[in-house]
Amino acid sequence: MSPLRISSLLGALGVALGAFGAHGLRPILESRQTLPVWQTASLYHLLHAIVLLWVSSQTPLPKAAFRFFTAGVLLFSGSLYVLALTSVARLGIITPLGGVALICGWLCLAFRRSEA
């Protein structure tokens, strides 16, 4: 699957999950007091989907950054979505790994070799 398609699908999923959490799941998330967790997951998900769109437009594709950002969204936001729904605290172990992957993605961009 192309980087542009992956980025676009992650963006669409981020919008859908954000809306679903704000409307369809709101009573469940409020009763578990995990609505802020869902909102954090959605914020990071959407922000990094936008970054992934930009990364996918670069030539040559910064593959390491793309992979780190994709893994980061899946691990960080994904674990928070599941944590918000299940309240299984053990899932919190995965979240920092996703955060580290997101940081690595940014660092890959920061230290990318310039074409100029």
Side-chain angles (χ1 to χ4, degrees), residues 6-73:
I6 292 169
S7 304
S8 299
L9 289 172
L10 278 175
L13 182 62
V15 172
L17 288 172
F20 191 47
H23 302 290
L25 294 175
R26 187 179 201 97
I28 294 167
L29 297 172
E30 286 178 339
S31 72
R32 293 177 181 270
Q33 299 180 337
T34 57
L35 182 59
V37 173
W38 190 277
Q39 291 169 333
T40 298
S42 182
L43 174 66
Y44 277 75
H45 184 155
L46 288 169
L47 172 68
H48 287 91
I50 293 167
V51 172
L52 277 165
L53 279 173
W54 177 82
V55 168
S56 70
S57 73
Q58 301 303 296
T59 305
L61 176 70
K63 291 178 187 174
F66 186 85
R67 289 178 183 143
F68 277 123
F69 283 132
T70 302
V73 168

